[in-house]
Amino acid sequence: MVLYFPSTLHVLGQFTDLITHFSFEQVQKCLQPLFLTQKQLEAVRDLMEVNMERGLKAEPDHPSTLKMLPTYVRSTPLGTECGEFLVLDLGGAKFRIVYVILDGSRGVEMENEAYDIPEEIMTGTGQKLFDHVAECLGRFLEQRNLKHKIFPLGFTFSFPCQQSQLDKSVLISWTKGFHCSGVEGKDVVQLLKDAIQRRGEYKVDVIAIVNDTVGTMMSCGYKDHSCEVGFIVGTGTNVCYMEEMGNVESVEGDEGKMCINMEWGALGDDGALRDIETEYDQKIDQASHTPGKQRFDKLISGMYMGEIVRQILIKLTNKGILFGGTTTSQLLAKEAIQTKDVSEIENDNSSLAKAKNLLASLGLNPTEKDCALVKSVCNAVSTRSAKLCAAGLAAVANRIKNNHHDPMGRITVGVDGSVYKTNPKFSEHLNQTLKELAPGCQIKFLVSEDGSGKGTAIVTAVAQRLAHQRQLIDKILEPFIMTKAKLKEVEKRMRNEIEIGLQKRTQPKAIVRMLPTFVRATPNGKERGEFLALDLGGTNFRVLYTHVGIRNEGGVQMKSKTFALPTEIIQGTGQQLFDHIVNCITEFQEENNLQGKRLPLGFTFSFPCKQNSLDQGILISWTKGFSASGCVGEDVVRLLREAAVRRKNSDFYVIALVNDTVGTMMSCGYDDPACEVGLIVGTGTNACYMEEMKNVELLDGDDGQMCINMEWGAFGDNGCLNDITTTFDEDVDNHSINPGKQRYEKMISGMYLGEIVRKVLIKLTQQKVLFGGKISDKLNTTGLFPTKFLSSIESDTLGLLQVRAILAELGLKSTCDDTVLVKEVCTTVSRRAAQLCASGIAAVVQKIRENRGLEHLKITVGVDGTLYRLHPHFAGVLKKTVQMLAPECEVTLRLSEDGSGKGAALITAVACRVAGAEPLPA
């Protein structure tokens, strides 16, 4: 069966009467290996995908034939880049110097000049080469009266290099006839800088070294900001594309993107393309300067396409099918047919004149039959090239689509190279095959305008823009950066406020209140009994039944029910509030068959109280939207007891009033006897710890310990943290319901972190660093960037899809750079919060260690709160910072299991045990 490409059939069909007598079997035998099936092309696509994946890994299971080189180009153009730039384009026997003016509104203006590189310089020393380049650069500037300026320079260097920075690139090996000594293994940017410095006539700032493929992508990206692929098919062929940083294992960092230079011409250097290589390809490879290398390149690019055609024509001639079986010395000469000849012949739609002229120039006297067949050979060779390019691009497109999680697969490819530009049939075959090999992708091609000149200037402009933005970003975020010295100072100041709060003389004016809780012991694991717990701290409250058994015989088991508090209740009278609460307790008791059991109850009351005993707490003020009258200044335990009498419920009696921080400590303390500190980091923040009674001057007695509720959120209300407070903190404080109060809490807790981030994002947008300088109404609205966004954003890795979704929800159109920066802002603010929290914990554990006269303390901190639980990095930063600040203390952070419920029951159980009371047996 004959398997001609449709276009080849068309060519032959036009001249059927001319080739009737040809040996079709022999023609088919010669051309058939060039006609790749769908299955073969899919195999090439899949091979490319596998080698891309391997090439991105630091230690692949099998070596990749693709180098997948990081270019350190991390961003595509916005189209607003402006400025004057120089470009040095070195990649052959001539090099160019280009003067480029970028203007976002007017476009691009360029002036360039080409300079020869004599052969003795191409094969001389590296110093001579770069001195020659530096001399020509000086001449270029002098002729245009530009020597007095210091220009940013982009360096297009089209040789295989290993980059480690945008402006540092080590030459792997010379190609294209260059053999300059002392350059391979050296940083070519530094060699250029050294040559310029030796001249001493002018100065330039080398910003970036760029591969020509990257220049193509950036040149097109200036017009179409969605362009993330650069494709060259000319004398050689290569592709670059924007890869997710999380996949580039050879470069540190997971966020954002980086352009990867695939060097895809080497695909198949391990023999994987042997099945589709023809005898013509093998001859060309063996006769090349690099046998066995660049196998994919040799099947595709313009350097070899004409030679493939020539080899086929020789074979057909030797078989007597062409030119009467007679060859000429010109036809037998290497490179006698160029790729431009192939394009001209294939594009000659009106006649066979182009073929006839070429063959005549080779000393041949072709018939029209010969010309028709030569045209079909050219078509077969260039079509195979286009289809193989399509197979490679299909792999790239599929990878980008999967990275973006874009079901539409919209991709723009910047393209350059003589093969693509001069042969319209090439692009037709390329597009058609792409539709077959990447059916889920919508691929658009954009022809580059001088990628090695304009594109390199744009890379340089983008790098300069990013560098300027980095300076602004660093300046804005710098106040949030907490050095060890700053954190030690915060620890020292917290320790000072702790002492002030513990002393009777100074306590009334203390900002860290250090309130005794009358909890005198932590659980020992032997507590037993049945208890009720009431957890009141918001518009919903819970009633719990708790069965406490010996720790190693079942531990704590709980049942609970949540009840709502209607607005009219929390804003009504105190009597209505507590009557409603008792009614709910009664309902819970009935549902769980607890009537008739007189159970001890622990009352978790998460509002500011001053306790005078374990079962008494004077409400200092309502918060969280509560305003029930007749409660402030009253004992809330008494109010609950009076409501129980009114509602005729005598099946519980209140043993303990519990702060949620204390409940957290007790909950963890049941399972870990070393737990003597409780920490809450959620909507708010607070801490408690077991203090020696002799240090609690407010109470009589020196024996034993007592848990102290620090109420540390007010740390800094006296101005002691002003030197580490940012303008964003001040702004958030000024617009809060309690300006000047809870300053430490406002730098740490979940109620405020989102607002701090929002303020920073607004500042960065005003500086035109984010979102194109456009602030959405939602971003401008207080409270619309909650702290839960920080947890989602900071847990996001590959693709930053959650970041993009959140920003879209806020009406913000974000680039990849925007999403990376938003994540950096969130990380910076939350990291500071965790570090400041750690300073407070370090002050507490160091005090406990000194209280006991120990050189080393092993202690556990029970922790609860949504910020600690849900944020992906808060706990880790907190732990690491405590270790740094308090190396004499081995601190374990233990997550609490329902401190407000289980903890309240355990406090009640401990109180019963200590007092010798008899709760109902478990």
Side-chain angles (χ1 to χ4, degrees), residues 52 145 168 208 218 309 388 391 395 445 463 510 536 562 922:
M52 289 173 73
N145 195 28
K168 185 172 183 178
M218 297 295 273
V309 168
L388 285 172
F445 287 90
L536 176 63
T562 300

Side-chain angles (χ1 to χ4, degrees), residues 38 66 94 97 129 252 257 312 317 362 364 393-394 554 589 644 852 876:
Q38 178 82 3
L66 305 181
K94 288 180 180 287
I97 299 170
L129 170 66
E252 255 184 69
K257 298 179 182 181
I312 297 171
T317 305
L362 296 175
L364 297 163
L393 284 172
Q589 289 169 322
R852 298 173 189 177

Side-chain angles (χ1 to χ4, degrees), residues 97 232 642 699 748:
I97 299 170
I232 289 184
E642 289 174 352
L699 300 177
I748 290 177

Side-chain angles (χ1 to χ4, degrees), residues 839-858:
S839 292
I841 291 297
V844 171
V845 296
Q846 289 283 40
K847 183 171 193 335
I848 293 173
R849 182 183 65 80
E850 292 173 15
N851 283 347
R852 298 173 189 177
L854 300 173
E855 290 186 6
H856 183 268
L857 173 69
K858 187 173 182 179

Side-chain angles (χ1 to χ4, degrees), residues 517-525 527 614 656 658 662-663 665-670 672-677 688-693 703-708 852 903-915:
T517 66
F518 296 88
V519 172
R520 297 176 180 270
T522 54
N524 61 13
E527 290 77 13
L614 184 60
V658 183
V662 183
M665 180 187 74
M666 298 296 275
S667 172
C668 294
Y670 181 76
D672 183 350
C675 183
E676 297 188 59
V677 182
C688 69
Y689 73 100
M690 298 302 293
E691 178 60 87
E692 304 300 317
M693 276 295 295
D703 297 330
Q705 297 176 324
M706 179 173 286
C707 182
I708 299 297
R852 298 173 189 177
L906 286 168
I907 290 174
T908 308
V910 170
C912 291
R913 171 172 61 80
V914 172

Side-chain angles (χ1 to χ4, degrees), residues 64 112 116 127 216 307 378 389 550 562 580 683 744 861 890:
S64 173
N112 67 81
D116 291 325
Q127 182 168 325
T216 295
E307 267 299 283
C378 292
C389 285
I550 296 175
T562 300
H580 178 75
T683 306
Y744 187 57
V861 178
E890 183 182 337

Side-chain angles (χ1 to χ4, degrees), residues 442 686 861:
Q442 298 178 32
N686 193 16
V861 178

Side-chain angles (χ1 to χ4, degrees), residues 122-242:
M122 290 176 66
T123 56
T125 66
Q127 182 168 325
K128 284 184 179 179
L129 170 66
F130 285 101
D131 280 348
H132 175 65
V133 170
E135 180 188 351
C136 294
L137 182 56
R139 201 185 315 152
F140 180 90
L141 293 171
E142 187 170 5
Q143 288 170 352
R144 290 156 183 82
N145 195 28
L146 296 174
K147 268 192 174 181
H148 61 287
K149 291 187 176 183
I150 300 177
F151 287 99
L153 183 141
F155 187 9
T156 304
F157 189 72
S158 302
F159 300 91
C161 287
Q162 183 75 50
Q163 277 190 256
S164 55
Q165 296 172 188
L166 186 58
D167 62 348
K168 185 172 183 178
S169 191
V170 173
L171 177 65
I172 297 172
S173 61
W174 282 118
T175 58
K176 307 176 187 179
F178 279 75
H179 300 286
C180 300
S181 61
V183 182
E184 291 181 355
K186 299 289 182 65
D187 175 16
V188 293
V189 173
Q190 190 59 51
L191 294 177
L192 175 63
K193 287 179 177 178
D194 292 344
I196 292 170
Q197 189 170 11
R198 280 195 295 272
R199 293 199 68 78
E201 300 172 358
Y202 58 89
K203 292 182 180 180
V204 295
D205 186 9
V206 184
I207 299 287
I209 183 163
V210 182
N211 174 277
D212 53 355
T213 320
V214 181
T216 295
M217 180 187 74
M218 297 295 273
S219 171
C220 295
Y222 196 67
K223 286 183 179 177
D224 183 341
H225 312 322
S226 64
C227 181
E228 294 194 356
V229 183
F231 168 45
I232 289 184
V233 56
T235 305
T237 182
N238 194 15
V239 162
C240 69
Y241 74 102
M242 297 300 291

